[in-house]
Amino acid sequence: MKRLFLKTLIAAVAVAAASLAGAQDVKERTLKLATQNPKGHPTVTGMEKFVDLVKAKSGGKIKVNLFPGGVLGGDQANVSALQGGTLEMVVMNSGILASQVKEFAVFDFPFQFANSKEADAVVDGPFGKAMHDKLGDKGLVGLAYWELGFRDLTNGKRAIHKVEDIAGLKLRVIPNPINLDWVKALDANPVPMAFPEVYAALESRALDGQENPVTVILANKFGEVQKHLTLTHHQYNPQSVLISKKVWDGFSPAEKKIIADAAREATPAQRQAAREATNTALDQLKKAGMQVTELPAPEMTKLRDKLRPVIAKYSVAVGQETLQAFQAEIAKARK
């Protein structure tokens, strides 16, 4: 009996010592976490969950301050700040990272995912990890993938009933080459622009339209300056939760575990929020006065066909190895 008690006591002391050592490895820190979308958007919901998890796991030692709504600049400015270590964290569209690692363009290929389940399987599996692992040399560390969703098209000029109706429109695109090219393939005029500038450009009619998931369209009040919404679902956007490698390298193992675990554990809540919001956003946009159209099946086929040369062009750019691994994961998810 005494021997059992002694073993139990030793084990308890060891656990307490390990816990104390872990606590001592966690310093008082304040991190900035930025994104382009405003408070109330599912991305920010995920960020708020992350904040709570970090606070709980660090015993309140690590504080995360949120900067939604693009207040710290556009995505490319945020990436530069991460690389310089002046901004600690950001949540952004994974495809934008093609400016750092060309293979990330695969996430912007049109019409790749049939549904969110396929996307989850790709980004949560070995392919997603391998992609984030490529960022280390660029001063970035990928912690998790969240969801922005399927992108649709808005404009203030006319309802889109056929693919030809898109021709001539000045459309804001995320500033990277593949998005410029797919808009050009539809005989429209792409305008690369940082996201914080988009609302004003739509309001002033410097732009005719833009493309984003319905949750983004609603949260950023684009319906106030855009009349027509076309449900094209032409791209799916995973979002990368990123931390500056300069900052990450200064963390203790215990701090790295807290941040990595919190990003991963916030993922299901963020995705659920994104999917629930998608279900309600369309109704809210309709009630707010947006006119919603869907392309007939033959027109959707025509749209896909027009974008195939763009996919072919960027398949060469990302390389066969990346493309085959990407497509293999999608095929696996469809079984």
Side-chain angles (χ1 to χ4, degrees):
M1 193 70 177
K2 287 181 180 178
R3 190 174 297 167
L4 178 61
F5 173 77
L6 186 59
K7 284 183 178 179
T8 303
L9 181 61
I10 291 170
V13 169
V15 169
S19 177
L20 181 60
Q24 290 173 339
D25 284 342
V26 179
K27 296 180 181 177
E28 298 276 351
R29 297 184 183 274
T30 300
L31 310 178
K32 298 183 294 294
L33 173 56
T35 194
Q36 297 301 300
N37 276 297
K39 188 173 175 61
H41 186 271
T43 296
V44 182
T45 301
M47 292 162 65
E48 291 166 345
K49 177 69 172 176
F50 173 78
V51 169
D52 291 342
L53 286 165
V54 169
K55 181 179 179 181
K57 290 175 181 292
S58 68
K61 286 188 173 183
I62 302 178
K63 181 180 180 183
V64 183
N65 291 331
L66 302 186
F67 293 86
V71 295
L72 298 185
D75 286 312
Q76 298 295 356
N78 286 171
V79 169
S80 295
L82 287 179
Q83 291 169 323
T86 57
L87 173 62
E88 288 80 14
M89 298 186 68
V90 72
V91 184
M92 63 186 291
N93 285 351
S94 302
I96 293 172
L97 295 167
S99 63
Q100 303 296 318
V101 176
K102 68 181 190 316
E103 289 89 346
F104 273 85
V106 77
F107 286 124
D108 275 346
F109 281 17
F111 298 115
Q112 295 301 297
F113 298 115
N115 51 54
S116 297
K117 174 178 169 287
E118 291 180 6
D120 288 352
V122 171
V123 298
D124 291 341
F127 182 84
K129 182 181 184 306
M131 293 294 284
H132 271 172
D133 286 348
K134 294 176 185 291
L135 296 173
D137 291 343
K138 302 299 181 179
L140 308 169
V141 176
L143 299 173
Y145 290 95
W146 291 358
E147 174 168 293
L148 192 68
F150 287 92
R151 300 177 80 89
D152 296 309
L153 179 67
T154 73
N155 83 94
K157 274 198 157 183
R158 55 182 174 263
I160 305 297
H161 296 291
K162 56 185 187 296
V163 173
E164 287 78 9
D165 292 334
I166 301 171
L169 293 176
K170 289 182 291 183
L171 301 176
R172 180 267 174 177
V173 294
I174 294 172
N176 63 19
I178 190 170
N179 290 303
L180 293 170
D181 282 352
W182 76 252
V183 171
K184 289 176 183 175
L186 301 178
D187 298 317
N189 302 310
V191 182
M193 183 180 291
F195 190 76
E197 303 168 20
V198 175
Y199 184 97
L202 293 171
E203 186 177 34
S204 68
R205 304 295 175 88
L207 291 173
D208 296 321
Q210 62 82 54
E211 44 85 47
N212 260 299
V214 290
T215 54
V216 176
I217 294 165
L218 178 67
N220 291 277
K221 302 180 179 178
F222 289 159
E224 296 177 350
V225 289
Q226 297 275 270
K227 184 177 181 180
H228 303 286
L229 168 62
T230 311
L231 302 179
T232 49
H233 287 20
H234 52 273
Q235 282 176 326
Y236 172 89
N237 285 147
Q239 292 194 299
S240 289
V241 182
L242 303 172
I243 189 166
S244 163
K245 191 171 188 300
K246 281 189 176 181
V247 173
W248 183 254
D249 288 347
F251 284 174
S252 69
E255 290 168 331
K256 288 179 178 178
K257 179 171 172 51
I258 287 168
I259 298 300
D261 287 353
R264 188 183 66 254
E265 290 172 25
T267 298
Q270 191 281 328
R271 289 179 184 168
Q272 181 179 356
R275 289 160 197 179
E276 289 176 354
T278 297
N279 291 336
T280 59
L282 189 58
D283 287 339
Q284 292 180 57
L285 290 169
K286 287 178 179 177
K287 287 175 183 175
M290 289 200 86
Q291 296 182 8
V292 180
T293 59
E294 294 186 59
L295 293 176
E299 290 298 319
M300 286 300 297
T301 298
K302 190 190 301 181
L303 180 60
R304 288 186 175 91
D305 288 344
K306 276 185 166 285
L307 298 186
R308 288 187 199 284
V310 178
I311 296 171
K313 174 181 175 179
Y314 286 91
S315 294
V316 174
V318 303
Q320 278 303 306
E321 184 179 348
T322 297
L323 184 64
Q324 287 171 1
F326 178 65
Q327 292 174 337
E329 290 296 317
I330 296 174
K332 207 185 304 178
R334 290 176 180 170
K335 288 181 180 176

